[in-house]
């Protein structure tokens, strides 16, 4: 059973458009929600993260929106650029004494010039 | 520069053979992890270690083994018991396992090892 469900599996956006990737979870014990960006042949890199006591966090063109009651969170990439083309993973951390993360299945983003 | 080094980048395994993937970090992180990545399935936890000489099974540990003799090193052995080992393997680390500091959250990943059975 997948702890974090991510959609869509793939996304094509025109340059300058908005890319939106959604994730949903069930476990209310999750206490930290990061997004990772992965380029082909590389390991994922932390992009932006949010805690459940915040509804939105923005860093440059990247914004996380968090809906605690709906147990959903999403990544918005404003003014999408071809260099943003990558696979994006959402994740959720279980609270407690170990940094164990559950990952979504990934979204492959292609930003067309 | 601090980081995680995984080697080799590509590895080919014959049927019935054990292979070992290397993971070294110079970040002085306490916790280290191994994940397996398959297309369309995200990342799944194989093993993790919170301190030297201690490690625990993750969600898909069968057919894998690890050791943690040094803080900097967390090698993963893919044994012949792993029936479908072809995948991209990622090693990661975090500063601490129980810290409440946000700086301890989130993984630093290596660049991965792509293992193929031939």
């Amino acid at each position: 059973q997948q702890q974090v469900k991510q959609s869509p599996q793939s996304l094509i956006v025109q340059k300058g458009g908005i890319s939106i990737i959604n994730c949903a979870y069930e476990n209310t014990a999750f206490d930290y929600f990061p997004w990772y960006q992965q380029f082909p042949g590389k390991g994922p890199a932390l992009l932006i993260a949010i805690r459940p006591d915040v509804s939105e966090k923005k860093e440059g063109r990247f914004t996380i929106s968090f809906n605690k009651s709906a147990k959903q969170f999403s990544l918005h990439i404003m003014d999408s650029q071809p260099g943003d083309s990558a696979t994006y993973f959402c994740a959720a951390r279980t609270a407690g004494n170990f940094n164990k993360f559950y990952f979504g299945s990934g979204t492959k983003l292609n930003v067309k010039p | 520069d601090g980081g995680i080094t995984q080697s080799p980048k590509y590895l080919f395994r014959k049927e019935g053979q054990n292979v070992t993937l290397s993971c070294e970090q110079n970040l002085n992180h306490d916790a280290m992890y191994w994940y397996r990545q398959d297309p369309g399935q995200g990342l799944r936890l194989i093993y993790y270690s919170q301190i030297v000489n201690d490690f625990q099974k993750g969600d898909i540990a069968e057919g894998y083994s690890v050791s943690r003799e040094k803080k900097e090193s967390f090698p993963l052995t893919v044994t012949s018991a792993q029936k479908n080992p072809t995948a991209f393997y990622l090693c990661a680390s975090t500063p601490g396992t129980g810290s409440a500091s946000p700086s301890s959250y989130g993984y630093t990943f290596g660049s991965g090892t792509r293992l193929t059975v031939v």
Side-chain angles (χ1 to χ4, degrees), chain B residues 5-76:
Chain B
T5 301
Q6 287 188 243
S7 63
K9 191 171 179 66
Y10 300 96
L11 186 58
F12 298 91
R13 191 194 93 166
K14 294 180 180 179
E15 294 285 348
Q17 189 179 43
N18 292 355
V19 292
T20 298
L21 284 60
S22 171
C23 177
E24 302 278 334
Q25 56 102 354
N26 60 4
L27 300 165
N28 199 34
H29 284 177
D30 289 319
M32 298 186 73
Y33 314 77
W34 274 105
Y35 278 87
R36 169 178 172 146
Q37 185 175 18
D38 295 282
Q41 293 194 47
L43 282 69
R44 293 181 290 167
L45 183 64
I46 304 173
Y47 267 98
Y48 62 95
S49 170
Q50 298 175 323
I51 56 172
V52 174
N53 293 323
D54 185 56
F55 48 83
Q56 286 80 41
K57 293 181 179 180
D59 301 316
I60 56 164
E62 185 175 353
Y64 300 97
S65 65
V66 293
S67 62
R68 187 87 186 277
E69 297 177 1
K70 299 186 300 181
K71 186 176 184 179
E72 303 78 21
S73 179
F74 191 41
L76 173 74

Side-chain angles (χ1 to χ4, degrees), chain A residues 18-33:
Chain A
I18 302 174
S19 304
I20 301 175
I21 304 170
N22 301 300
C23 285
Y25 65 97
E26 288 297 325
N27 189 347
T28 56
F30 290 148
D31 70 344
Y32 178 70
F33 301 86

Side-chain angles (χ1 to χ4, degrees), chain A residues 9-76:
Chain A
Q9 189 173 359
S10 62
L11 182 61
I12 299 174
V13 173
Q14 291 294 323
K15 178 182 176 181
I18 302 174
S19 304
I20 301 175
I21 304 170
N22 301 300
C23 285
Y25 65 97
E26 288 297 325
N27 189 347
T28 56
F30 290 148
D31 70 344
Y32 178 70
F33 301 86
W35 284 88
Y36 287 84
Q37 179 188 56
Q38 184 180 29
F39 293 104
K42 302 293 185 183
L46 181 62
L47 186 63
I48 187 173
I50 197 167
R51 296 194 65 167
D53 53 351
V54 176
S55 60
E56 185 175 281
K57 183 174 182 180
K58 184 176 181 180
E59 290 185 1
R61 296 184 293 108
F62 300 90
T63 300
I64 299 178
S65 297
F66 190 86
N67 187 329
K68 189 174 181 179
S69 61
K71 290 184 281 188
Q72 296 175 348
F73 59 110
S74 60
L75 176 69
H76 296 235

Side-chain angles (χ1 to χ4, degrees), chain B residues 105-116:
Chain B
Y105 297 170
Y107 292 137
T108 298
F109 281 96
S111 294
T113 292
R114 186 164 298 281
L115 174 63
T116 304

Side-chain angles (χ1 to χ4, degrees), chain A residues 68-99:
Chain A
K68 189 174 181 179
S69 61
K71 290 184 281 188
Q72 296 175 348
F73 59 110
S74 60
L75 176 69
H76 296 235
I77 305 174
M78 311 301 288
D79 187 27
S80 299
Q81 299 296 313
D84 297 331
S85 297
T87 298
Y88 293 82
F89 292 95
C90 61
R93 185 187 87 135
T94 49
N97 63 356
F98 168 60
N99 280 329

